[in-house]
Amino acid sequence: MSSNIPYKTYLSEGEVPCEWYNVRADMKKKPAPLLVPSTLKPCTPKDLAPVFCDDLVRQELDDETAFFPIPAEICDFYRMFRPSPLIRAYFLEKALGTPAKIYYKFEGNNTSGSHKLNSAVAQAYYAKAQGLKGVTTETGAGQWGTALSMACAFFGLDCRVFMVKCSYEQKPFRREVMRTYGASVTPSPSMTTQIGEKINREHPGTTGSLGCAISEAVEAAVSNPGYRYVLGSVLNQVLLHQSIIGLEAQAAFRKLGEKPDVIIGCAGGGSNLGGLIAPFMGEKLRGESDYRFIAVEPASCPSLTRGRYAYDYCDTGRICPLAKMYTLGADFIPSASHAGGLRYHGMSPVLSELYDQGLMEARSVRQTDVFAAAQYFARTEGILPAPESSHAIRAAIDEAIKCRENGEAKTILFGLTGTGYFDMTAYQAFNDHVMGDYVPADEELEASFAKLPEVPAT
Amino acid sequence: MSSNIPYKTYLSEGEVPCEWYNVRADMKKKPAPLLVPSTLKPCTPKDLAPVFCDDLVRQELDDETAFFPIPAEICDFYRMFRPSPLIRAYFLEKALGTPAKIYYKFEGNNTSGSHKLNSAVAQAYYAKAQGLKGVTTETGAGQWGTALSMACAFFGLDCRVFMVKCSYEQKPFRREVMRTYGASVTPSPSMTTQIGEKINREHPGTTGSLGCAISEAVEAAVSNPGYRYVLGSVLNQVLLHQSIIGLEAQAAFRKLGEKPDVIIGCAGGGSNLGGLIAPFMGEKLRGESDYRFIAVEPASCPSLTRGRYAYDYCDTGRICPLAKMYTLGADFIPSASHAGGLRYHGMSPVLSELYDQGLMEARSVRQTDVFAAAQYFARTEGILPAPESSHAIRAAIDEAIKCRENGEAKTILFGLTGTGYFDMTAYQAFNDHVMGDYVPADEELEASFAKLPEVPAT
């Protein structure tokens, strides 16, 4: 470790970015607009106002403004857990014997355990600024619900979380973290919403799904005055907030006088990957620099690598707007993969469009290969990674090994989105050698694609 | 937040201390020596060599050398998770409306979740340097076992952890973290040691105790060639390694041009408190500066505030050396307090002597008051603290409120030793209002004191 590059690079408070970057502003061909489900017409601010708060609607629909100033209250909150470190993976490089330089941007040093807090605090802030009483949301694995609970506790907002019933029962510790932050956590489907009642009546004993929890959370928001619904991924606004990850990474690389060749992130709905690559993609779109971008998704839920680029519903309940995105179909039920945060049938419309334009690569990896990388990383770099993040680790290790084989000293950056402290059941399955690999058959995907909605060309 | 003091202060890598500080060197009256249990004579290096590795024996017995250089390999490992931030608790100050300035040194940003890693890596390094095959230890709550597993994975040492059986069963996630780092974890009492067999035979169905697990770990070390036993608290060597906490805090305060008036830490065996206060206590002992030091312990296990200063066994199995310390008696069984890391009958001999000389204060706090402080802190400062650490938070808040009442703008520093992510069962009890407060009766303590060993004056 004789290099003059430190193991960890922190920006000073004065160097921390004070604006979010909106990559859509630099895209010549923009992502397709959201559509209203009842009319299949592009969503207007009025269509979205009952669901999202006003400032967030503006951010959602604005594909021209490149930079949005970050409000001072959000900057203050960011100081609690940001800047996150850019870490030079010296120990991993040494263990792999690779000439590659490996960096990772680590977002896990906060109680939510992931990057989700970056957008949660923004969404809570705007809700508070609009004078709302509270927000509703759904959570599966629990990272997003935890992040939102923390943000709501800080701003004094009520927070109602619909947690997929099987997770509610299997992950009592996640639930308790949310309760400690003052959130109410309801197992979904519940009897507190009409849709929940209906599902419970039609499917007695069901343990719920993310799609159902979304529907309940949206219903709870629109039927309670002073409440709005918030979402932790997929949306343009979320990618905007998450750009803080990439902006910090970009500033840190400039400070070090270094530059990544390859940028890698895991991709579920796209919040982390979209945030990490945003400013670098901006450079590429403006013709200032070239980078390779790699999205890594689970082989069990391969929306980019095996999905269709089409309009589809964002939720299985089909009450949310339609988005044009790479999708496996809103009815596709991902297998019980342990990377809960990547079990989404679609992909951010921004990332989908960038991928479609050939500006980004994608690959899928199998679960056991992912956990082998996770364990290797934990033992060499000391951080126990989240299963989601470990998809990026797998690809980064594979790229570094390629560099060793080719004798290339490339600079690799990957996003380490979070820690795996609440995912030990999955690690246990791996440690006990009982973890399986599921890959959907072509027929399964074709059957799901057949149910994609028909949307007239606009 | 208009102050020019940043929310978080990190030392640059060049500013990080490269020596540990041994506070015993500046004590005029030294802590009393350890005694061999069979002879009640002071321990020599030869007495300790079968149990601890040679360099650690030297550190244990040396009360003259003020500074020990930190080996380069340990410095490298420290770079993974150190320097830890010194955080100005702006949000907590604001919420309390106090004129006090509150700082905390946060040791939880690593996978072990606590400061324990500071000594684990040192002990693993010296074992490796001596050419040993592996180490044995016990763990209760699991923080120490996790830290040691991480350190052993890094240095390629075998790591055998005896985990108190009830924790092994109640905390499967902690166990899985250790397994992920390659440690073998055995529920104690086990059938793999003579003492474990004996206890299982005499107490069928027992769920174990820390005292029993220590005895098993020591037996496993001395009866397996190439193995030594390691311990995470109480010992002089551990306080030496943990001085990195205080040295970094001292350097950060100098960098900021600030100075604490009061320094607060939770105290179980004393590893965190001893490390945090060491260099500041050195200034006080040398007459350079004055500070107030406050040790905070649970009312359920009040060794400093209600114990005796006497020679006692360090383990309930009575096979380890005797130490002169504040103790509740080696037979005292603390109630099932949720702060597992503070459930120790004795206290570091160094801290005991400093307390006895009136150089440090101590207070005890009740569990429900501690969790109220923990929840308040989580909601204002964003970090979900460990139950152990929350004892210090409680005292820091109480001191800050006193400042508000007296209109005093004191500067308070406390040690936030770790995070509570694996302690959600305790938080659940608090959230559900079913947490109790146990305070031992005077008669219970008197009965325990009556069993203290008789040691002739030296």
Side-chain angles (χ1 to χ4, degrees):
Chain A
M1 292 182 40
S2 55
S3 163
N4 55 359
I5 304 276
Y7 182 76
K8 278 180 269 182
T9 300
Y10 285 102
L11 301 175
S12 69
E13 289 195 356
E15 296 167 325
V16 168
C18 54
E19 297 175 307
W20 291 305
Y21 169 65
N22 179 12
V23 73
R24 288 168 289 161
D26 283 310
M27 292 171 73
K28 283 186 202 80
K29 188 175 167 228
K30 309 287 183 188
L34 296 173
L35 303 184
V36 178
S38 56
T39 62
L40 300 182
K41 295 262 190 292
C43 287
T44 63
K46 215 179 134 194
D47 294 320
L48 296 177
V51 181
F52 300 120
C53 63
D54 301 344
D55 283 308
L56 294 169
V57 170
R58 267 190 288 281
Q59 294 178 358
E60 188 64 32
L61 299 179
D62 186 338
D63 55 14
E64 297 296 336
T65 307
F67 288 96
F68 286 80
I70 307 177
E73 290 85 347
I74 299 176
C75 286
D76 269 358
F77 190 96
Y78 276 174
R79 291 168 79 185
M80 276 196 203
F81 68 104
R82 308 207 66 81
S84 71
L86 178 71
I87 303 179
R88 174 76 184 271
Y90 282 111
F91 300 110
L92 182 61
E93 292 172 18
K94 195 178 157 197
L96 292 171
T98 179
K101 292 191 258 186
I102 309 176
Y103 289 88
Y104 54 99
K105 180 76 171 159
F106 179 43
E107 293 287 314
N109 272 348
N110 69 75
T111 289
S112 84
S114 82
H115 67 293
K116 294 285 183 187
L117 199 49
N118 297 324
S119 185
V121 58
Q123 297 193 49
Y125 166 76
Y126 288 117
K128 185 71 181 178
Q130 193 172 322
L132 296 174
K133 278 192 236 163
V135 291
T136 69
T137 199
E138 78 291 334
T139 202
Q143 284 183 332
W144 168 248
T146 308
L148 191 66
S149 305
M150 292 173 66
C152 287
F154 188 78
F155 289 115
L157 271 179
D158 187 34
C159 181
R160 300 187 186 176
V161 180
F162 289 88
M163 188 170 188
V164 178
K165 195 179 274 176
C166 64
S167 292
Y168 182 90
E169 283 160 5
Q170 284 169 10
K171 294 197 164 192
F173 293 167
R174 272 282 187 206
R175 185 184 75 208
E176 286 308 320
V177 178
M178 292 183 258
R179 288 182 71 206
T180 300
Y181 281 93
S184 73
V185 187
T186 307
S188 168
S190 75
M191 298 303 276
T192 69
T193 65
Q194 290 183 353
I195 186 103
E197 269 194 70
K198 180 164 177 280
I199 292 170
N200 271 317
R201 202 168 48 239
E202 291 173 2
H203 306 277
T206 176
T207 55
S209 72
L210 211 47
C212 165
I214 292 177
S215 305
E216 285 206 276
V218 173
E219 183 187 321
V222 298
S223 58
N224 279 296
Y227 281 77
R228 292 293 184 283
Y229 168 69
V230 297
L231 182 65
S233 193
V234 183
L235 297 174
N236 299 332
Q237 59 187 269
V238 176
L239 266 70
L240 176 70
H241 307 147
Q242 294 294 357
S243 70
I244 191 76
I245 305 172
L247 290 162
E248 281 186 8
Q250 190 187 43
F253 271 109
R254 280 186 187 144
K255 192 172 171 175
L256 295 174
E258 296 272 302
K259 206 167 175 306
D261 299 300
V262 192
I263 303 175
I264 299 169
C266 63
S271 68
N272 147 68
L273 180 68
L276 174 66
I277 71 173
F280 299 101
M281 183 62 82
E283 292 179 40
K284 183 165 177 163
L285 289 165
R286 295 189 303 270
E288 296 164 6
S289 277
D290 196 19
Y291 300 99
R292 272 181 72 204
F293 300 101
I294 306 176
V296 192
E297 55 187 15
S300 59
C301 192
S303 50
L304 285 172
T305 49
R306 294 177 68 198
R308 291 277 169 84
Y309 191 34
Y311 265 108
D312 194 11
Y313 293 93
C314 291
D315 62 320
T316 36
R318 306 191 174 208
I319 59 172
C320 294
L322 286 82
K324 189 174 175 194
M325 57 184 177
Y326 275 84
T327 179
L328 299 167
D331 285 328
F332 179 79
I333 305 289
S335 75
S337 151
H338 292 293
L342 305 181
R343 294 181 65 216
Y344 185 66
H345 66 276
M347 180 59 65
S348 142
V350 173
L351 291 180
S352 293
E353 181 57 33
L354 290 168
Y355 179 61
D356 195 57
Q357 292 180 28
L359 291 159
M360 185 177 82
E361 304 166 31
R363 70 175 64 159
S364 72
V365 287
R366 286 177 186 239
Q367 183 165 251
T368 51
D369 294 333
V370 166
F371 274 82
Q375 187 194 64
Y376 190 84
F377 183 82
R379 292 185 184 183
T380 48
E381 287 285 319
I383 297 170
L384 187 87
E388 292 84 355
S389 324
S390 304
H391 288 68
I393 296 173
R394 176 74 268 168
I397 288 177
D398 291 343
E399 290 296 310
I401 290 171
K402 238 183 266 171
C403 284
R404 182 180 69 204
E405 287 165 356
N406 303 338
E408 287 178 309
K410 292 222 170 127
T411 299
I412 298 167
L413 165 64
F414 72 89
L416 189 70
T417 55
T419 51
Y421 307 149
F422 291 88
D423 302 289
M424 295 318 297
T425 310
Y427 274 96
Q428 182 169 9
F430 181 74
N431 292 336
D432 289 342
H433 309 289
V434 296
M435 176 175 277
D437 280 313
Y438 176 76
V439 182
D442 288 338
E443 299 72 36
E444 183 182 351
L445 294 183
E446 288 302 328
S448 182
F449 295 149
K451 294 187 215 159
L452 283 171
E454 282 192 38
V455 175
T458 42
Chain B
M1 294 182 40
S2 56
S3 163
N4 56 359
I5 304 276
Y7 182 76
K8 277 180 270 181
T9 300
Y10 284 103
L11 301 175
S12 69
E13 288 195 357
E15 295 167 325
V16 168
C18 55
E19 297 175 307
W20 292 305
Y21 169 65
N22 180 12
V23 73
R24 288 168 288 163
D26 283 308
M27 292 171 72
K28 281 185 202 84
K29 189 177 167 223
K30 309 287 183 189
L34 296 173
L35 302 184
V36 178
S38 56
T39 63
L40 299 184
K41 295 263 191 291
C43 288
T44 63
K46 214 180 138 195
D47 295 319
L48 296 177
V51 182
F52 301 119
C53 63
D54 301 344
D55 282 308
L56 293 170
V57 169
R58 266 189 288 281
Q59 293 178 358
E60 188 64 32
L61 299 179
D62 185 338
D63 54 15
E64 296 296 336
T65 306
F67 289 95
F68 286 81
I70 306 176
E73 292 84 349
I74 298 176
C75 287
D76 270 359
F77 190 96
Y78 276 174
R79 290 169 78 185
M80 278 196 201
F81 68 104
R82 308 207 66 82
S84 71
L86 178 70
I87 303 180
R88 173 74 183 270
Y90 282 111
F91 300 110
L92 181 61
E93 292 172 18
K94 195 178 158 197
L96 292 171
T98 179
K101 293 192 259 186
I102 310 176
Y103 289 88
Y104 56 98
K105 181 76 173 160
F106 179 43
E107 293 288 314
N109 272 348
N110 70 75
T111 289
S112 83
S114 82
H115 66 292
K116 294 286 183 187
L117 198 49
N118 296 324
S119 184
V121 58
Q123 296 192 49
Y125 166 77
Y126 288 117
K128 185 72 181 179
Q130 192 172 324
L132 297 174
K133 280 193 233 162
V135 291
T136 69
T137 199
E138 78 291 332
T139 201
Q143 284 182 332
W144 168 248
T146 309
L148 191 67
S149 304
M150 293 174 67
C152 287
F154 188 80
F155 289 114
L157 270 181
D158 187 33
C159 180
R160 301 188 185 175
V161 181
F162 290 87
M163 188 172 190
V164 178
K165 194 178 273 175
C166 64
S167 293
Y168 182 90
E169 283 159 5
Q170 285 168 10
K171 295 199 165 190
F173 294 167
R174 272 283 184 203
R175 182 184 77 209
E176 286 310 319
V177 178
M178 290 184 258
R179 287 183 69 205
T180 301
Y181 282 93
S184 73
V185 187
T186 306
S188 166
S190 74
M191 298 301 277
T192 68
T193 64
Q194 290 184 352
I195 186 104
E197 269 194 69
K198 179 165 176 281
I199 292 170
N200 271 317
R201 201 168 49 239
E202 292 173 2
H203 307 277
T206 176
T207 55
S209 71
L210 210 49
C212 166
I214 292 176
S215 304
E216 285 205 278
V218 172
E219 183 186 321
V222 299
S223 58
N224 280 295
Y227 282 77
R228 291 293 184 283
Y229 168 71
V230 296
L231 182 65
S233 192
V234 183
L235 296 174
N236 299 332
Q237 58 187 271
V238 175
L239 266 70
L240 175 70
H241 307 147
Q242 295 294 357
S243 70
I244 191 75
I245 305 172
L247 290 161
E248 281 186 7
Q250 189 187 44
F253 271 108
R254 280 185 188 145
K255 191 172 171 175
L256 296 174
E258 296 272 300
K259 205 166 175 312
D261 299 300
V262 191
I263 303 175
I264 299 169
C266 63
S271 69
N272 147 68
L273 180 69
L276 175 66
I277 70 174
F280 299 100
M281 183 63 83
E283 291 180 41
K284 185 165 175 162
L285 289 165
R286 296 189 302 269
E288 297 162 6
S289 280
D290 197 19
Y291 301 98
R292 272 182 72 204
F293 300 101
I294 307 176
V296 192
E297 56 185 13
S300 59
C301 192
S303 50
L304 285 172
T305 50
R306 295 177 67 198
R308 292 276 169 85
Y309 192 35
Y311 264 108
D312 194 9
Y313 293 93
C314 292
D315 62 320
T316 37
R318 306 190 173 207
I319 59 174
C320 294
L322 286 82
K324 189 176 177 193
M325 58 185 176
Y326 276 85
T327 179
L328 298 167
D331 285 329
F332 178 78
I333 306 288
S335 76
S337 152
H338 293 294
L342 304 181
R343 293 180 68 216
Y344 185 67
H345 66 278
M347 178 59 64
S348 139
V350 173
L351 291 180
S352 293
E353 181 58 30
L354 290 168
Y355 178 61
D356 195 58
Q357 292 180 28
L359 291 159
M360 184 178 82
E361 304 165 32
R363 70 176 64 160
S364 73
V365 288
R366 286 178 186 238
Q367 183 166 249
T368 52
D369 294 333
V370 166
F371 273 83
Q375 188 193 63
Y376 190 84
F377 184 81
R379 292 184 184 184
T380 48
E381 287 285 320
I383 297 170
L384 187 87
E388 291 84 355
S389 324
S390 303
H391 287 68
I393 296 174
R394 176 73 269 166
I397 288 177
D398 291 343
E399 289 297 310
I401 289 172
K402 238 182 267 171
C403 284
R404 182 179 69 205
E405 288 165 356
N406 304 338
E408 289 178 308
K410 293 221 170 130
T411 299
I412 299 167
L413 165 64
F414 71 90
L416 189 70
T417 54
T419 51
Y421 308 149
F422 291 88
D423 301 290
M424 294 319 296
T425 310
Y427 274 96
Q428 180 168 11
F430 181 74
N431 292 335
D432 290 341
H433 309 288
V434 296
M435 176 175 275
D437 280 313
Y438 177 76
V439 181
D442 288 339
E443 300 72 37
E444 183 183 350
L445 295 183
E446 288 302 328
S448 182
F449 295 149
K451 295 188 214 156
L452 283 171
E454 281 191 38
V455 174
T458 42

